[in-house]
Amino acid sequence: MNMSPGVTSTSNQIFSLHMTILWICVAIGVVVFGVMFWSIFAHRKSRGAKPANFHENTVVEVLWTIIPLAILVAMAIPATATLVEMYDTT
């Protein structure tokens, strides 16, 4: 699950980036599975839940496009900075 911390500053940045992205992915997984299990429990057929109609809901479609895009951009910025520093051999 974990990388070993490096000796150089660049390898420490890679380790830090790895740990940051790992915890972001863990948080996303916890939220997604939490919402999924809550939804399965709260909207089960035995409780008489009726399905909602989300067909062509523009707000929902924009949100589930914008939120992952924002997360990817937020993860790409430090990754790109680390890659640029890795290729700088001065």
Side-chain angles (χ1 to χ4, degrees), residues 43-58:
H43 299 101
R44 61 189 186 270
K45 190 175 184 179
S46 64
R47 290 185 66 182
K50 301 292 182 208
N53 186 6
F54 289 104
H55 184 65
E56 295 181 16
N57 189 336
T58 306

Side-chain angles (χ1 to χ4, degrees), residues 12-67:
N12 280 330
Q13 283 183 330
I14 293 169
F15 175 77
S16 175
L17 179 66
H18 164 74
M19 293 306 294
T20 302
I21 291 179
L22 172 75
W23 288 114
I24 290 171
C25 291
V26 167
I28 290 170
V30 166
V31 169
V32 167
F33 278 98
V35 169
M36 182 181 70
F37 288 131
W38 172 80
S39 180
I40 289 170
F41 180 74
H43 299 101
R44 61 189 186 270
K45 190 175 184 179
S46 64
R47 290 185 66 182
K50 301 292 182 208
N53 186 6
F54 289 104
H55 184 65
E56 295 181 16
N57 189 336
T58 306
V59 174
V60 172
E61 290 180 10
V62 167
L63 283 178
W64 72 39
T65 302
I66 297 294
I67 292 172

Side-chain angles (χ1 to χ4, degrees), residues 17 21 24 68-84:
L17 179 66
I21 291 179
I24 290 171
L69 178 68
I71 293 170
L72 287 174
V73 168
M75 290 189 330
I77 291 170
T80 304
T82 302
L83 279 173
V84 167

